[in-house]
Amino acid sequence: MLISIAWKNIWRNKLRSGVVITAVTLGLIGGILSVGIMFGSSDQHVKDALNDYISEIQIHHPKYSENNESKYFIKNSESTENVLSQIPGVKSVCSRIKIVGMANSPEAAVGIVINGINPEKEKTVTDIYTKIPAGSGSYFENTKRNPILISSKLAEKLKLHLRSKLILTFQENGGTMTGGAFRVVGIFKTTNAMLDETNVFVRKTDLIRLTGFSENTAHEIAVRLTDKKMLETVKSEIIKKYPNLSVMTWKELQPDLAMVTDFMNQMMAIFMMIILLALGFGIVNTMLMVVLERIKEIGMLMAVGMNRIRIFTMIMLETIFLSIVGGGIGMAVSAGILDYFGRVGMNFSSVSKGLESFGYSAVIYPKVEVSFYFILSFLIILTGILASVYPAIKAVRLNPADAVRTDA
Amino acid sequence: MNIIEVKNLHKIYKESEIEVHAVRGIDLIFEQGEFTAIVGPSGSGKTTFLNMIGGLDKPTEGEIVIDGVNINELKGSKLIDFRLRKIGFVFQAYNLIPVLTAKENVEFIMSLQKRPKKERIERAETLLKAVGLGDRLNARPSKLSGGQQQRVAVARALASKPMFILADEPTANLDSESTRNLLEIMENLNKMENITFIFSTHDARVVKKARRVITFDDGKVISDVKNKY
C-alpha cells in the first residue's frame, strides 16, 4: 500500500511534478546526446584510424620500431602471413614494405613514409581504396609505371595534381640513397589529416624493384580482427608463435588514440555525474517543499502508528518515482534521437577543418552502448535515493503532536 | 475496568527562557466504555493532556499507565506500535490522506498492522457502513463534506480495534447537522460496541451528550462530573 500511496502522492501536484519530470527529462536528453556525440566521435575516430592506417595489431622487426630503419625487416613474410591468418580471431593480414624518405616536387620537398603495398591485399586491412573522391583518380586501377597515391593534404603542400610527377628519394636495401619518379594516380582524403600528410602508397613490387628488397620481406604486417574484444588474446597467440618479433596493439602503437578514448569515457562519466547532481539538487528542493506542505498529514501518519522507517520509505519512494518517470522519458526520447542521428549522422561540416586536423570526422554518428542505459538507470535510482535522504530526514524528525496542529 | 491511569501528571514547555506549566499535577482514571468530554478554556491544558495520554507528547513528570503499560517508558518504534494497537485518533481537521478513497483511508491503518487484504477490505466496508458512508466507499476526501470526512476519520480510528479513541475537538469544524450526526454515531458505537471515547471540546452540544465531563483550567482538573441518563 505504501508503494501505491507514494505513486499517487507524486501526482497530487501535477504541475510541480511535471516541472521536475521535465527537468529530469531535458537534463538527461542533453546529457545522453552529449555523451552520444562524444562517444560516437571518439569511437569513429578510433575506427577511422584503424581502418585507414593502423589496424588492430602490427608486427615489426623488434628494432624497426625504434627508428623505423629499413634494414630491420621481417623475413619470410609470406609464410608468416599464412600462419597469422590461421589464428582464431584474425580476419585479415597484409604485409608492407615501409620506408622513410623524401617526396620532392618542383615546388617543395617533405619527409614522408612510403608504404609499399599489395593493392588487392591491402584492401582487406585498410579502407584507403574507398577514400579517393570522384574526380581524384583511382586506386591503382590503370596500371602504369610507378603509380602513387598521395593525400589531398600532401598534394596541396607539394602543389601536385592528378597525374603530376613526384620524385621519391630513400635508402635502398644496402643503405645507399636511391630514388624514383612516381606518377600520382589517386588523391585520397581520410579524416586523419596528420597521417594523410606523412603517408604515401606505392605498389610493393615497384618499391622492391627500386630498393632491392626480396619479395618475401616486409617491414610491417598489419592484422585485422573479427572482434575488437579479442585484441589481447590474438596478440598473446602471435607472441607465442613469433617470440622474436615485435607485436603491438593499436593502443601501444597510438597511445594518444587510446588515451583519447579513455579520457572521453572519463569525461562522459564526470559529465553525467554533474547533470545527475544538478538534477538531484532540484529534486531535493522539490521534495523539501513536498514535506513542508504535508507536515500535518505526516504528523497524522506518525500519530496513528506509521513508524519512521515507513515515513522515510514513503518519501524515498516518491523521490525515486519522480526520478524514474523523468529518467525513463529522458532515456526513451534520447534513444529515439540517437537512433535517428546514429543512422543519418550529425553534420559538423562548418568546423570540419578543425575536426579533421585532430583526426575526427566532420560527420558524427552519435551512439551509446546499451550497457550505458543500464548504468544510467542505476544512477538515476541512486540519485533519487540520495536526493530523498534530506527531505525524508526532515519528515521523520517532525513531532506528531505539533505537526497535526500545524496550519500547513 | 481501568484502561488509563494518570498519576501526578505535569507538563512544562520551555519557550525561550520562559517556562509554561501547561499541565499541573493531574490524577485521573478512565474506565472501559466511557464517553468522556474534557472541557475548559483555551490554554487550559486539554490538548496537551490528550497528546500525553495519546503518547504523542512526553510528560515532564508523572505516570500514564495504559492497559498496565507505563507509556513514558516506551520509546521510538515501540511507542509508535503501541499507539497503532491501542489508541485511535480523531483530529479536528480530519487529516485524511487526500490521495486515498474513504475505504483506502480506513484500510490504510490496518495495512500498518499487517492484516490480510481481505480482512482489511471487509472491515473497512463494515466500518464505513456503520458511520453511514456505505455509498461513499470509493470517494476521495475532496469529494466528501466536512461531516463525512470526520465520519471517515472515526471509522479509521476504529479500524485498528483500539482500546480507546482520543478526539481533539472533533466537531470544531462541523456545522450543527454534521455535529449531530457525528455525535449520534459516536454515541451508538460507545453504547453498542462499548468503545471508549475521550474527547476535548468547546461545543456545548457535545458536552451535553458526554456521560462524564472533566473540566480543566490552568492545567488542573477543577471538576470531574458524571452525567446520568
Side-chain angles (χ1 to χ4, degrees):
Chain A
M1 200 160 192
L2 208 57
I3 293 171
S4 155
I5 292 174
W7 176 253
K8 286 174 180 168
N9 275 340
I10 68 169
W11 304 114
R12 278 163 83 155
N13 190 328
K14 290 189 177 74
L15 180 65
R16 185 173 55 208
S17 296
V19 168
V20 176
I21 289 166
T22 308
V24 174
T25 302
L26 293 178
L28 283 182
I29 290 174
I32 294 171
L33 284 188
S34 306
V35 167
I37 291 169
M38 283 196 270
F39 190 79
S41 64
S42 135
D43 189 54
Q44 213 168 310
H45 177 53
V46 172
K47 260 189 198 161
D48 286 347
L50 297 187
N51 291 339
D52 295 342
Y53 287 102
I54 305 167
S55 302
E56 279 88 357
I57 293 174
Q58 285 184 8
I59 302 165
H60 303 102
H61 184 285
K63 289 201 170 171
Y64 177 83
S65 312
E66 289 170 13
N67 284 320
N68 293 355
E69 286 183 73
S70 58
K71 63 181 177 185
Y72 299 115
F73 51 83
I74 302 166
K75 292 171 189 165
N76 303 318
S77 63
E78 283 173 16
S79 62
T80 309
E81 277 186 61
N82 289 336
V83 171
L84 292 173
S85 306
Q86 305 304 314
I87 295 173
V90 171
K91 189 171 82 178
S92 52
V93 181
C94 182
S95 66
R96 298 171 187 136
I97 294 278
K98 220 167 173 180
I99 298 171
V100 176
M102 290 291 289
N104 307 278
S105 75
E107 302 286 339
V110 291
I112 43 140
V113 176
I114 308 160
N115 293 272
I117 58 168
N118 176 334
E120 282 313 305
K121 233 176 177 182
E122 185 69 23
K123 282 183 181 176
T124 64
V125 293
T126 62
D127 284 346
I128 288 293
Y129 71 101
T130 64
K131 302 293 165 82
I132 302 168
S136 297
S138 63
Y139 181 76
F140 301 109
E141 274 166 19
N142 302 318
T143 317
K144 289 174 184 162
R145 187 175 161 80
N146 290 354
I148 187 168
L149 291 183
I150 62 168
S151 69
S152 54
K153 194 89 184 166
L154 189 64
E156 196 182 313
K157 208 167 183 178
L158 296 175
K159 297 192 170 49
L160 295 172
H161 306 283
L162 201 58
R163 288 182 286 281
S164 295
K165 203 188 244 184
L166 174 67
I167 307 295
L168 298 184
T169 52
F170 44 85
Q171 279 186 328
E172 61 170 31
N173 191 11
T176 318
M177 286 303 290
T178 185
F182 287 78
R183 182 80 62 188
V184 178
V185 293
I187 299 175
F188 64 88
K189 184 176 188 282
T190 74
T191 54
N192 198 320
M194 224 152 48
L195 287 174
D196 276 6
E197 211 172 315
T198 53
N199 280 275
V200 297
F201 294 87
V202 300
R203 288 186 304 208
K204 190 177 178 181
T205 47
D206 293 336
L207 203 55
I208 282 170
R209 182 167 38 79
L210 291 165
T211 54
F213 283 106
S214 107
E215 186 78 33
N216 200 15
T217 56
H219 291 107
E220 182 172 286
I221 299 177
V223 180
R224 298 306 306 264
L225 306 183
T226 51
D227 183 354
K228 62 181 178 184
K229 288 176 190 151
M230 295 187 73
L231 190 65
E232 292 304 325
T233 320
V234 175
K235 182 192 169 185
S236 312
E237 198 59 33
I238 298 172
I239 291 172
K240 256 192 230 167
K241 289 188 190 298
Y242 296 100
N244 297 324
L245 292 180
S246 156
V247 183
M248 294 174 93
T249 65
W250 66 270
K251 291 182 181 179
E252 294 159 321
L253 289 159
Q254 296 268 304
D256 54 328
L257 201 62
M259 192 202 76
V260 165
T261 310
D262 292 343
F263 178 70
M264 283 284 191
N265 286 337
Q266 283 172 20
M267 282 295 292
M268 283 190 280
I270 292 169
F271 187 63
M272 282 315 294
M273 289 290 184
I274 291 169
I275 287 180
L276 289 172
L277 195 68
L279 293 176
F281 276 106
I283 295 170
V284 169
N285 185 41
T286 303
M287 290 313 292
L288 278 175
M289 279 167 63
V290 165
V291 169
L292 205 66
E293 273 179 15
R294 286 181 13 214
I295 285 179
K296 189 179 246 183
E297 186 183 315
I298 293 167
M300 176 278 292
L301 291 171
M302 291 166 109
V304 300
M306 192 164 172
N307 62 34
R308 291 179 202 279
I309 294 171
R310 282 193 168 118
I311 300 274
F312 195 97
T313 309
M314 183 180 75
I315 302 290
M316 186 175 273
L317 283 173
E318 287 178 31
T319 319
I320 292 172
F321 286 152
L322 269 180
S323 314
I324 288 177
V325 172
I329 298 172
M331 284 199 287
V333 173
S334 304
I337 297 173
L338 282 181
D339 180 59
Y340 175 74
F341 284 110
R343 280 183 280 113
V344 302
M346 292 175 109
N347 199 337
F348 292 91
S349 52
S350 57
V351 287
S352 63
K353 277 196 175 172
L355 285 170
E356 281 166 9
S357 65
F358 290 104
Y360 287 91
S361 167
V363 179
I364 293 170
Y365 296 88
K367 67 171 215 176
V368 293
E369 300 282 335
V370 176
S371 60
F372 174 77
Y373 288 110
F374 286 107
I375 295 167
L376 192 58
S377 305
F378 168 76
L379 289 175
I380 289 166
I381 294 171
L382 187 69
T383 305
I385 291 171
L386 294 177
S388 70
V389 172
Y390 183 57
I393 286 174
K394 278 267 189 199
V396 298
R397 280 192 181 161
L398 290 172
N399 178 344
D402 296 334
V404 289
R405 295 180 75 80
T406 185
D407 288 332
Chain B
M1 186 182 87
N2 295 346
I3 55 168
I4 308 172
E5 290 175 39
V6 177
K7 295 170 195 166
N8 190 30
L9 201 65
H10 287 264
K11 180 69 184 180
I12 301 168
Y13 291 109
K14 276 189 182 167
E15 287 176 8
S16 304
E17 293 302 305
I18 303 161
E19 284 191 349
V20 179
H21 213 140
V23 171
R24 300 164 184 262
I26 290 176
D27 294 285
L28 281 171
I29 288 173
F30 296 91
E31 291 179 0
Q32 178 72 46
E34 279 192 19
F35 198 66
T36 299
I38 296 174
V39 298
S42 293
S44 60
K46 305 185 296 291
T47 300
T48 304
F49 176 74
L50 284 186
N51 282 343
M52 286 193 287
I53 62 171
L56 299 178
D57 212 349
K58 291 273 180 196
T60 310
E61 195 186 325
E63 260 184 27
I64 301 164
V65 179
I66 297 173
D67 197 22
V69 176
N70 183 351
I71 64 165
N72 296 350
E73 290 168 3
L74 297 177
K75 285 191 174 64
S77 58
K78 281 190 179 167
L79 180 61
I80 292 171
D81 192 53
F82 185 84
R83 285 204 297 264
L84 179 63
R85 285 184 293 108
K86 303 283 183 184
I87 310 168
F89 290 90
V90 176
F91 304 98
Q92 182 181 333
Y94 332 129
N95 289 10
L96 300 177
I97 302 172
V99 293
L100 300 183
T101 63
K103 191 166 81 176
E104 286 167 341
N105 262 287
V106 179
E107 205 193 319
F108 174 67
I109 299 295
M110 292 181 276
S111 82
L112 294 177
Q113 293 180 317
K114 294 178 181 156
R115 296 221 216 135
K117 176 96 178 161
K118 195 177 166 216
E119 184 196 331
R120 287 183 344 224
I121 292 171
E122 280 172 6
R123 184 162 169 78
E125 286 177 1
T126 307
L127 287 169
L128 284 168
K129 279 174 193 163
V131 296
L133 291 172
D135 57 341
R136 305 307 311 271
L137 296 176
N138 296 313
R140 289 205 175 176
S142 58
K143 301 288 175 194
L144 299 172
S145 68
Q148 287 172 324
Q149 286 188 58
Q150 197 61 303
R151 280 189 269 158
V152 176
V154 170
R156 179 180 67 186
L158 289 165
S160 60
K161 297 182 181 170
M163 187 165 257
F164 60 94
I165 290 176
L166 293 175
D168 188 11
E169 306 204 27
T171 60
N173 291 352
L174 303 182
D175 58 31
S176 45
E177 173 75 19
S178 300
T179 300
R180 194 166 54 247
N181 280 338
L182 186 73
L183 282 175
E184 208 170 285
I185 287 161
M186 286 165 64
E187 218 178 353
N188 282 341
L189 288 165
N190 172 256
K191 282 180 186 165
M192 315 286 277
E193 312 279 339
N194 200 30
I195 291 164
T196 309
F197 280 91
I198 302 166
F199 42 88
S200 67
T201 187
H202 281 108
D203 192 332
R205 291 163 300 184
V206 181
V207 178
K208 208 172 156 189
K209 290 277 183 186
R211 290 208 300 279
R212 181 183 177 190
V213 178
I214 302 168
T215 309
F216 276 43
D217 194 14
D218 199 20
K220 291 178 188 165
V221 173
I222 55 167
S223 76
D224 185 352
V225 181
K226 287 188 178 166
N227 289 338
K228 286 181 183 173
Y229 286 93

